[in-house]
Amino acid sequence: ELWEAVMAKSKAKKTEETKGLSELLSHAKSVVFTDYQGLSVKDSTELRRLLKREGAQFVVTKNRLLMRALAEVKPQTKIPEFTGFTAVAIGITDEITPAKVVATFAKTHEKIKIKGGLLGDLLIENAEISMLASLPGKQELLARLVGTIAAPLSSMVNVLAAPTRSLLNVLNAVGAK
């Protein structure tokens, strides 16, 4: 009876964990699967903090629970079976953040290895994740957009102000004589 109580609690905990992971994955714009074996707690915490600051999450889970959650949320996507230790970087706010943060982090931490990812319902490979990581982020794109919109406006203001400046220059010259 004690063993059944322990197993039931364990199964309930796994079900709860799968449900939480499914909820996160259902809101994910992109996902990066990583092998984190050998990564120190300090480095893992640092990666988690970097992702959280950018609006993404880093979740360490068992492969079987991850596969169940993915099958529930993305049944049409054929996900390969993972082996070893798997952690998931989940992008909630944009598609590029998980790829960019994990790829940058992996450059200085050789223990992190990218296994693949998802972009919406599309399974993507390491090369495609590297391409995503090289794209400019959302904030940089917004800054470029504002600059592009502002450039013609500032030129127009200069053109419209030119006659006024010319008139002031003429009046200053006359006043000086």
Side-chain angles (χ1 to χ4, degrees):
E1 289 179 20
L2 179 61
W3 179 250
E4 289 175 10
V6 169
M7 289 301 291
K9 185 175 182 182
S10 177
K11 186 174 182 178
K13 185 176 180 182
K14 287 178 185 177
T15 302
E16 184 179 317
E17 187 178 331
T18 303
K19 185 178 176 186
L21 189 55
S22 295
E23 179 68 22
L24 272 175
L25 290 169
S26 68
H27 297 299
K29 293 188 176 185
S30 68
V31 178
V32 176
F33 305 111
T34 65
D35 183 344
Y36 68 96
Q37 187 175 12
L39 193 65
S40 71
V41 173
K42 178 184 173 192
D43 290 339
S44 177
T45 303
E46 174 69 12
L47 178 56
R48 190 179 312 268
R49 187 182 60 74
L50 289 169
L51 284 162
K52 190 171 186 176
R53 184 174 46 190
E54 297 295 327
Q57 293 198 10
F58 188 67
V59 179
V60 175
T61 187
K62 294 185 176 198
N63 290 332
R64 186 173 295 156
L65 298 179
L66 175 61
M67 296 309 289
R68 282 185 196 157
L70 285 168
E72 184 179 311
V73 175
K74 304 196 181 287
Q76 68 278 13
T77 306
K78 197 78 169 154
I79 308 290
E81 285 287 327
F82 295 117
T83 58
F85 297 87
T86 304
V88 187
I90 302 171
I92 306 295
T93 57
D94 70 65
E95 292 79 0
I96 297 172
T97 297
K100 187 177 280 292
V101 172
V102 171
T104 303
F105 192 81
K107 288 177 184 174
T108 57
H109 298 83
E110 62 191 39
K111 300 288 184 187
I112 280 279
K113 293 178 179 56
I114 297 173
K115 293 182 174 184
L118 289 173
L119 186 57
D121 291 336
L122 181 67
L123 187 65
I124 55 177
E125 303 289 325
N126 291 2
E128 294 161 320
I129 292 172
S130 296
M131 287 173 51
L132 265 181
S134 68
L135 293 174
K138 187 176 185 179
Q139 295 302 322
E140 186 179 342
L141 288 174
L142 288 173
R144 287 182 186 181
L145 177 64
V146 168
T148 302
I149 291 171
L153 292 176
S154 64
S155 296
M156 187 175 82
V157 167
N158 284 333
V159 167
L160 292 174
T164 308
R165 272 195 305 267
S166 297
L167 177 62
L168 285 175
N169 288 337
V170 167
L171 290 175
N172 284 334
V174 168
K177 284 187 180 182

